[in-house]
Amino acid sequence: QVQLVESGGGLVPAGGSLRLSCVASGSTLSTNRMGWFRQAPGKQRELVATIDNAGRANERPSMKDRFAISRDSGKDIVYLQMNGLTVEDTGVYYCNYRTYKPIIDYWGQGTPVTVSS
């Protein structure tokens, strides 16, 4: 089992910034992918960005100019820097940890982000 602890969410005015963090612990593997997904009220969960243990990032094109994913080298800690937040960014942000052999997805509890107009 892999445990994920997220932090950094909260209430922010439009145009503001937040930095989310996620720490993985437990039965982590050297080959993995960590990332962030979000779920807005009444909508399906969607990919924000992922980054693998080699530092290869995959970011949603529509967010790429405002959001940036990173991780501590050699550690299972991932960050999401969010700038220029809009009301449409409101939702619950979930940390994801994926192993590849076998493919298993682990999820954090989610950290809420609320952007006020």
Side-chain angles (χ1 to χ4, degrees):
Q1 286 291 322
V2 173
Q3 293 78 44
L4 301 172
V5 178
E6 302 134 326
S7 61
L11 175 65
V12 62
S17 299
L18 283 175
R19 188 190 194 210
L20 307 183
S21 301
C22 175
V23 180
S25 62
S27 302
T28 59
L29 300 177
S30 57
T31 301
N32 62 73
R33 186 198 74 184
M34 297 186 72
W36 293 95
F37 291 69
R38 74 180 185 186
Q39 188 165 16
K43 295 187 177 180
Q44 290 186 332
R45 191 173 298 187
E46 63 180 2
L47 167 74
V48 177
T50 62
I51 185 168
D52 67 14
N53 55 282
R56 291 177 291 246
N58 175 37
E59 298 166 323
R60 193 177 191 89
S62 60
M63 302 175 189
K64 203 170 184 177
D65 60 338
R66 298 185 298 119
F67 293 5
I69 192 169
S70 61
R71 67 187 289 173
D72 282 353
S73 178
K75 297 181 181 179
D76 293 322
I77 304 174
V78 67
Y79 306 97
L80 184 68
Q81 178 67 43
M82 304 187 293
N83 301 321
L85 286 162
T86 71
V87 173
E88 287 71 34
D89 295 317
T90 293
V92 180
Y93 285 69
Y94 295 91
C95 181
N96 169 263
Y97 183 98
R98 169 172 285 189
T99 64
Y100 287 101
K101 293 181 180 180
I103 295 179
I104 301 175
D105 281 306
Y106 297 92
W107 295 94
Q109 294 286 333
T111 184
V113 171
T114 303
V115 184
S116 61
S117 59

